[in-house]
Amino acid sequence: MSKEKIIGNSYPVKDANLKVTGQLKYVGDMKLPNMLYAKMLFSSVAHANIKNIDISEALKVPGVRAIATCFNTPQTKYNSALRFFEHDIPKTEAVFPRTVRYVGDRVAAVAAETEKAAKEAIKLIKVEYEELPVILDVEEAIKEEAIHIHPGGNKVIEMTANAGDVDKAFEECYRIFEDKYEVPPIHHGAIETHVAIAQYDYTDKLTLWTPTQNTFAFRILLSQIMDMPLHKIRVIRPTIGGAFGGKLEMTIEPVAAILSRMTKRPVKLVLDRTETILTTRVRHGAVVYMKTGVKDDGTILAQDIKMYTNTGAYASSALNVMGALSHKIYKVYKIPNMRFSGIPVYTNTITAGAMRGYGSPQVFMAQQTQLGKIARELNLDLIEIQKKNSVEPNGVDQRFNSPLGNPRLLDCIEKGRELFKWDEKKNSKTEEGSWVKGIGMAIGAHGNGVFGAHRDVITLILKLNEDGTLTLITGTHDMGNGTVTMQTQMIAEVLGVTPDKVETFETDTDACAWNLGDYASRGVFVEGAAAKKTAEKLKELIISDAKELLEVEDELELVEGFVVSKSNSEKRVSLSDIAVNSQKVKNRELTVIEDYASPAGLTSYGAHFAEVLVNKETGEIKVIDFVAVHDVGRMINPISLEGQLEGGIQMGLGYALSEGYVFDEKGKPINNSFTTYKMFRTVDMPKITTFFIEELEEKGPYGAKSIGECAVVPVAPAVCNAVADALNIDVNELPIKIKRGV
Amino acid sequence: MLVKLDINNFLYEVEVEPRETLINVLREKLDLTGAKRGCNSSNCGACKVLIDGEAVKSCGILAKNVESKKIYTIEGFATSEGKLHPIQESFVEAGAVQCGYCTPGMIITTQALLNKNSSPTEEEIREAFKENLCRCTGYVKIIEAVKLSAKKLGVNKNE
């Protein structure tokens, strides 16, 4: 395992020096000559037909150049979660709809010489609404009598996934537990708000700069909405200031594009924090009915899960998220009889979309919190009941009887138990005044890419430069998680150079080959493997040229910028000489373009442990110790893995204890700023310990699999179980709220 | 109104509106875009700059009120020869940088803290950073970077 020189070592993100000096330009930092500034008008009501929009006064504001509304823009319906050209998902959204369906829906946009003028004009636009009944709750929305938010009703689809004979198995159970769990929509909280710059020029070409995770799909969506051919649309992804799935789906980009086409000038549109909270995307809120039947020793015989997700105003990721979570729930336990049914539901709330974990945090919250309850009621140790049910390394997906790869969930549980000192803590439960301690744990899983669901492909271009350095042209979207750094590590490892010798050109639809997009934890497992494969292809060419140059048939290796004979180290030629020879003598550039398709859909696992203090008088909850152990196959970049996991824990703790949209009765989110929407800060964070299990995953590059999304999945249920343990109560919703004087 | 601003040891004369915030002047008028705008309501700390040694949220202060004060933005930290400041080095080395959007504000806060307290405890660091939001790192590596900065600057002081 240790023969590699680069893999397994820590490297800061590649652009760290630019980020610490303020030199790196995010889209919000960019200006183009002759650029206009845009502001938007968002719906103030949750459900209404737009009868009229009067822009006459707004047009009189000096500096205003264009105003876009539903009466002068394309009404083409699209789905913002599109992944590839012919992707067939419900198209329900228009850039400026005639019927608004949530507070924050797009009503109009102004482009002006200054942001101040645009803001002033927005205030002068008069909208006449014909208000319609508002539905905020999923279970209200599916009632017979509920008004239809979209034609055809409020159920986007009904999905099922089954294994075994659930009804029969329930008859054989020692006890059956039936509980309802509820989780709210939450905000991604990337510190960079949503922003885009569009430039429609006099060759009828549209160039768009946006911090997206889904560049190539944005090009297709813009092509559909704007009725333009693909070669006339160029999407460039400059630096992304955090995304977490929130920048996967298209939101404001067509607005900038439409205004630019109306004015033939570059247009910059920046949302502020409140606008980002009100109008972009959220993690699906959900209601989960969990029914579990067990034997007296805690072995689960049957599980029946019914789930409603709140997709909000538009279909967006409704199908994808439900589909993804319905798969993942089958990959953690050896439950022979499982039944899943899920219904994504329209409501008059903000559209839900992709968010780190993609359905897993919702369903695992319910499953894992109920398992904590089962352990308490059967008087079993939660760890023992976990181990009894968890998949083993040779385990199979119960639904398809297909192998799961090398799941090391049991190792995660055991290692976490040791690091957290579970047994010690369990036997020393203390109470100090009104503060009482509790411990809990939970497991979670997430996939590696989208094998089986979509075409899980990336194509990379790698060039050897004349001085022996390399340039990688990659359609990847690094969100600060180190995806590009990891790709350079893979290339450096194969080609015997250090990662600083590999420069990258990233994500520009005109210059890079296609990539599906950066989501679904594709980074290491798909894109990393692609980088390795591409470098290996280049290595073959290099070695072939080196053999000619050195006139040897020996076995050659690449070491520190040279190709060297294994039998005689004096026989060597530099990568530089090979590149020059290739141009000068062979009349070709040493460049490879290599496609890579993921070979499998494997799962990553984690076990999390939380210790909490709960104040019985005030209901206050403090997390004081947190241990997270993950099965990553092989560590590619330890510092990056730790950072991803620690960040996932911050996000998960917020989900558990402080985050969540709260709507007033008319559908307006009350907590729409960082004053009222509470994310975890330094002073809220517990002591964190992370650990990684390195048991190789055969199909992963160097044995590696992902961490990005799995990191967040077990956090909230671990806290739920700890709070439940402290007070000996049931916890059924997030964020957890304990009544005073419980 | 015309104001004189001393930023990164350079004197700028700039026309500002009476109610214009410093972040606006920095980003829109002086093209000093290192300070980021994450919330514009003094809640995230991404826009912090150093004013007379204190970390100040530039979205919450008027440009006209900082005349005759010594202002440093993130652009004023590295040397003109391109060498990183020890705090910047520490953030890179500790892996405290992911998306980087909160990083300038975090570095400014580090400097302000270390100006007052050259070897802060972990608790003091957490307290000093309670107004800086980060969504990527979970703060663990940021706190490590602050400790490393204190060590580096302490060592530098003794040299």
Side-chain angles (χ1 to χ4, degrees):
Chain A
M1 190 191 273
S2 58
K3 68 181 189 299
E4 284 87 19
K5 291 178 178 157
I6 309 293
I7 301 302
N9 293 314
S10 287
Y11 294 91
V13 290
K14 212 169 166 294
D15 49 10
N17 282 18
L18 299 175
K19 286 170 173 170
V20 296
T21 51
Q23 280 190 340
L24 199 60
K25 295 294 170 235
Y26 297 78
V27 179
D29 303 334
M30 291 167 51
K31 279 182 189 167
L32 295 182
N34 205 27
M35 189 172 83
L36 296 170
Y37 295 82
K39 287 304 286 180
M40 288 172 71
L41 177 68
F42 300 101
S43 172
S44 57
V45 296
H47 200 189
N49 292 320
I50 293 178
K51 290 176 75 179
N52 186 42
I53 301 178
D54 179 0
I55 58 171
S56 55
E57 289 302 310
L59 280 169
K60 290 179 194 162
V61 175
V64 168
R65 295 289 172 256
I67 299 180
T69 71
C70 61
F71 298 112
N72 63 357
T73 56
Q75 286 298 300
T76 316
K77 292 281 180 69
Y78 62 93
N79 186 313
S80 66
L82 183 97
R83 300 293 206 268
F84 46 88
F85 195 70
E86 75 292 1
H87 193 190
D88 186 18
I89 40 180
K91 294 174 178 172
T92 55
E93 192 171 0
V95 181
F96 296 102
R98 297 267 165 95
T99 300
V100 289
R101 293 181 174 86
Y102 71 103
V103 173
D105 212 340
R106 291 176 294 254
V107 171
V110 175
E113 298 292 340
T114 64
E115 196 174 11
K116 197 177 163 195
K119 276 184 185 168
E120 206 180 317
I122 284 291
K123 285 186 199 148
L124 297 172
I125 297 173
K126 294 186 195 77
V127 187
E128 208 182 319
Y129 295 110
E130 177 199 4
E131 292 203 37
L132 299 166
V134 172
I135 310 174
L136 306 177
D137 181 86
V138 288
E139 291 184 288
E140 289 296 317
I142 55 169
K143 284 183 180 163
E144 283 281 309
E145 66 273 20
I147 187 174
H148 290 183
I149 294 168
H150 289 280
N154 297 331
K155 294 179 182 176
V156 185
I157 199 170
E158 297 191 32
M159 279 187 188
T160 55
N162 297 315
D165 188 337
V166 173
D167 294 322
K168 187 161 166 262
F170 275 129
E171 288 170 14
E172 292 157 17
C173 291
Y174 165 69
R175 272 192 64 181
I176 293 169
F177 294 82
E178 286 188 79
D179 296 282
K180 178 185 179 182
Y181 297 90
E182 276 185 87
V183 292
I186 62 165
H187 175 51
H188 297 80
I191 307 301
E192 176 194 45
T193 60
H194 283 239
V195 52
I197 297 176
Q199 180 176 30
Y200 190 96
D201 67 23
Y202 282 94
T203 65
D204 293 320
K205 177 150 185 169
L206 172 68
T207 305
L208 183 84
W209 291 262
T210 180
T212 169
Q213 301 168 241
N214 206 12
T215 309
F216 292 88
F218 273 29
R219 184 169 69 148
I220 298 165
L221 280 168
L222 287 165
S223 154
Q224 291 172 357
I225 294 165
M226 313 274 293
D227 193 19
M228 291 172 65
L230 288 175
H231 75 298
K232 287 291 184 184
I233 301 173
R234 178 183 181 191
V235 183
I236 301 169
R237 178 239 68 187
T239 313
I240 303 176
F244 315 108
K247 291 166 183 167
L248 198 165
E249 294 174 24
M250 202 170 69
T251 54
I252 60 167
E253 288 78 7
V255 175
I258 284 168
L259 288 170
S260 183
R261 183 156 70 179
M262 288 168 90
T263 57
K264 296 285 195 294
R265 287 174 63 179
V267 173
K268 180 176 183 176
L269 173 58
V270 189
L271 296 191
D272 64 24
R273 177 59 52 187
T274 294
E275 290 168 340
T276 301
I277 291 176
L278 280 175
T279 74
T280 57
R281 291 290 179 267
V282 292
R283 184 188 298 297
H284 290 75
V287 176
V288 190
Y289 289 93
M290 183 71 63
K291 181 176 174 185
T292 304
V294 293
K295 294 207 292 195
D296 59 355
D297 67 351
T299 304
I300 304 173
L301 291 182
Q303 195 156 63
D304 189 3
I305 305 167
K306 285 196 186 109
M307 188 156 177
Y308 303 102
T309 51
N310 181 359
T311 199
Y314 298 101
S316 181
S317 282
L319 274 58
N320 314 29
V321 166
M322 190 65 88
L325 75 89
S326 74
H327 282 280
K328 275 168 276 205
I329 202 73
Y330 280 88
K331 296 182 190 296
V332 290
Y333 287 147
K334 301 174 287 189
I335 307 176
N337 307 290
M338 249 183 126
R339 182 163 61 205
F340 175 90
S341 70
I343 302 177
V345 182
Y346 294 117
T347 64
N348 294 118
T349 61
I350 177 169
T351 308
M355 185 170 176
R356 187 184 205 175
Y358 211 68
S360 299
Q362 294 95 317
V363 71
F364 281 99
M365 180 274 174
Q367 186 199 48
Q368 293 297 304
T369 304
Q370 193 188 50
L371 197 78
K373 174 183 170 166
I374 295 170
R376 277 196 312 283
E377 298 222 350
L378 298 186
N379 203 20
L380 294 166
D381 186 332
L382 180 51
I383 288 192
E384 292 308 321
I385 195 170
Q386 290 281 19
K387 284 169 65 181
K388 211 158 267 163
N389 293 293
S390 291
V391 290
E392 289 159 26
N394 60 356
V396 293
D397 183 317
Q398 297 293 335
R399 209 149 56 108
F400 305 116
N401 202 30
S402 55
L404 289 166
N406 188 18
R408 291 287 169 169
L409 181 53
L410 286 166
D411 294 348
C412 293
I413 295 170
E414 263 313 317
K415 189 68 193 177
R417 172 192 209 151
E418 173 198 326
L419 291 171
F420 184 73
K421 299 191 170 68
W422 174 269
D423 299 292
E424 211 174 290
K425 283 179 174 166
K426 199 173 167 228
N427 297 321
S428 61
K429 231 175 140 181
T430 54
E431 239 180 284
E432 256 189 61
S434 52
W435 290 97
V436 53
K437 267 189 188 173
I439 57 168
M441 59 88 59
I443 56 116
H446 201 80
N448 286 252
V450 291
F451 176 84
H454 305 319
R455 67 194 63 151
D456 206 349
V457 171
I458 182 170
T459 301
L460 298 178
I461 301 166
L462 183 62
K463 307 194 293 180
L464 181 65
N465 300 314
E466 294 92 321
D467 61 353
T469 61
L470 295 132
T471 303
L472 170 70
I473 300 168
T474 173
T476 202
H477 311 69
D478 197 313
M479 291 160 272
N481 52 349
T483 306
V484 172
T485 312
M486 174 273 305
Q487 287 178 41
T488 63
Q489 280 180 262
M490 298 274 183
I491 290 164
E493 183 70 58
V494 172
L495 295 175
V497 296
T498 47
D500 63 300
K501 293 283 191 288
V502 186
E503 190 53 77
T504 53
F505 177 91
E506 300 162 34
T507 317
D508 174 333
T509 53
D510 268 8
C512 301
W514 188 66
N515 176 24
L516 182 66
D518 278 72
Y519 45 82
S521 296
R522 298 179 70 232
V524 166
F525 192 73
V526 185
E527 297 177 349
K532 181 168 180 277
K533 184 186 175 203
T534 307
E536 280 163 353
K537 187 73 193 284
L538 184 61
K539 183 179 171 181
E540 277 175 33
L541 295 178
I542 288 169
I543 285 190
S544 160
D545 281 11
K547 280 189 175 167
E548 286 179 30
L549 276 169
L550 291 171
E551 295 177 340
V552 295
E553 281 304 318
D554 308 3
E555 206 178 329
L556 303 177
E557 60 184 344
L558 273 66
V559 186
E560 292 171 7
F562 287 86
V563 188
V564 186
S565 159
K566 276 191 177 174
S567 58
N568 177 3
S569 65
E570 281 175 18
K571 284 191 176 172
R572 56 171 57 209
V573 57
S574 70
L575 291 180
S576 171
D577 285 345
I578 287 173
V580 170
N581 178 66
S582 181
Q583 284 183 354
K584 195 168 82 176
V585 180
K586 309 196 85 165
N587 300 316
R588 65 151 156 72
E589 176 85 332
L590 256 178
T591 293
V592 297
I593 175 162
E594 194 68 17
D595 313 304
Y596 181 81
S598 171
L602 296 176
T603 309
S604 296
Y605 297 86
H608 289 195
F609 298 74
E611 182 173 19
V612 299
L613 276 174
V614 186
N615 190 314
K616 290 191 287 183
E617 299 303 320
T618 62
E620 194 184 344
I621 303 165
K622 286 186 207 167
V623 185
I624 54 172
D625 192 13
F626 203 94
V627 171
V629 182
H630 279 256
D631 161 29
V632 293
R634 172 80 189 274
M635 288 201 278
I636 301 299
N637 184 346
I639 206 174
S640 167
L641 278 164
E642 289 163 12
Q644 286 290 292
L645 183 46
E646 288 152 1
I649 292 167
Q650 186 260 16
M651 188 176 272
L653 290 176
Y655 195 42
L657 293 172
S658 65
E659 298 186 35
Y661 278 60
V662 180
F663 299 94
D664 69 14
E665 72 280 7
K666 292 193 160 176
K668 186 183 178 193
I670 300 164
N671 48 350
N672 57 20
S673 74
F674 276 160
T675 316
T676 47
Y677 187 92
K678 305 277 188 191
M679 306 203 308
F680 261 50
R681 295 174 181 270
T682 45
V683 287
D684 307 314
M685 291 296 289
K687 173 177 153 253
I688 290 177
T689 307
T690 58
F691 190 87
F692 300 96
I693 304 290
E694 290 191 275
E695 294 289 340
L696 304 188
E697 186 65 69
E698 192 196 344
K699 292 194 164 69
Y702 298 101
K705 53 187 176 183
S706 74
I707 180 77
E709 294 181 89
C710 194
V712 81
V713 179
V715 187
V719 177
C720 289
N721 285 334
V723 172
D725 175 58
L727 300 177
N728 200 22
I729 55 162
D730 288 351
V731 172
N732 291 77
E733 60 184 323
L734 299 182
I736 307 168
K737 293 271 186 287
I738 302 299
K739 285 190 192 127
R740 286 165 183 268
V742 66
Chain B
M1 61 197 293
L2 197 67
V3 296
K4 285 183 184 153
L5 298 176
D6 178 354
I7 304 170
N8 304 332
N9 295 322
F10 189 87
L11 207 59
Y12 292 87
E13 283 196 11
V14 55
E15 189 65 37
V16 309
E17 310 254 338
R19 302 291 304 160
E20 191 165 3
T21 55
L22 181 58
I23 183 86
N24 220 51
V25 173
L26 291 172
R27 292 182 55 84
E28 307 303 330
K29 294 192 167 156
L30 303 178
D31 286 331
L32 291 167
T33 54
K36 305 299 180 202
R37 212 194 292 253
C39 68
N40 221 28
S41 59
S42 295
N43 280 299
C44 77
C47 68
K48 279 185 175 177
V49 297
L50 208 60
I51 301 183
D52 290 345
E54 300 271 349
V56 176
K57 286 165 268 185
S58 63
C59 75
I61 191 164
L62 298 180
K64 67 172 186 189
N65 291 347
V66 291
E67 266 195 310
S68 78
K69 294 182 189 290
K70 205 101 185 101
I71 303 168
Y72 286 95
T73 69
I74 194 64
E75 286 91 343
F77 269 65
T79 66
S80 52
E81 294 84 41
K83 189 174 167 2
L84 297 186
H85 186 280
I87 298 175
Q88 293 172 319
E89 277 178 4
S90 303
F91 270 71
V92 175
E93 285 168 22
V97 183
Q98 288 191 30
C99 88
Y101 211 75
C102 73
T103 306
M106 294 287 182
I107 290 171
I108 299 281
T109 307
T110 308
Q111 181 68 68
L113 169 64
L114 298 180
N115 284 346
K116 281 190 246 170
N117 181 351
S118 59
S119 56
T121 63
E122 176 148 342
E123 206 181 333
E124 287 166 337
I125 296 171
R126 284 173 185 255
E127 187 61 28
F129 280 78
K130 70 179 181 190
E131 293 183 332
N132 289 68
L133 276 173
C134 171
R135 192 57 148 178
C136 297
T137 63
Y139 310 105
V140 179
K141 301 220 173 324
I142 289 172
I143 292 166
E144 281 170 20
V146 179
K147 288 180 186 166
L148 187 59
S149 301
K151 204 167 146 194
K152 284 194 185 208
L153 289 167
V155 170
N156 288 353
K157 242 182 244 170
N158 297 336
E159 276 173 0

